[in-house]
Amino acid sequence: MESIITKGTSLGDMELLSEEDKTKYIVLSQAISEWEAAYHPLSGRVSTLITDAIRAKMEANNLKQKETAKCLGI
């Protein structure tokens, strides 16, 4: 990401980056955001890695949301 930011800065604006660089920047930003939410969460932010895993377990075990919350101690 730093190299893309440096390139955008040298061009004078991130909007002047190539579409490929813009796409890479967005993908990397989303990956970093997801990683932070999973491993260093801020209050009120939940990782989709965690929620997707919970949903998969709910479906696999045919659990309702209320039953899952009880299992998780929520």
Side-chain angles (χ1 to χ4, degrees):
M1 264 184 82
E2 287 182 28
S3 65
I4 296 172
I5 292 170
T6 301
K7 189 186 284 186
T9 302
S10 69
L11 292 172
D13 192 337
M14 294 295 279
E15 289 298 320
L16 299 174
L17 289 168
S18 68
E19 289 303 315
E20 180 182 357
D21 283 337
K22 288 178 188 177
T23 301
K24 283 182 188 177
Y25 184 81
I26 290 168
V27 169
L28 288 169
S29 295
Q30 291 170 340
I32 290 168
S33 178
E34 185 61 41
W35 183 87
E36 288 174 340
Y39 297 101
H40 299 282
L42 298 173
S43 61
R45 173 124 166 82
V46 178
S47 167
T48 57
L49 294 172
I50 296 168
T51 55
D52 290 348
I54 292 171
R55 282 191 189 110
K57 281 287 195 183
M58 285 174 63
E59 289 178 15
N61 295 317
N62 198 27
L63 295 171
K64 303 259 188 259
Q65 185 176 5
K66 187 175 183 178
E67 297 164 326
T68 302
K70 185 176 180 182
C71 291
L72 294 171
I74 300 173

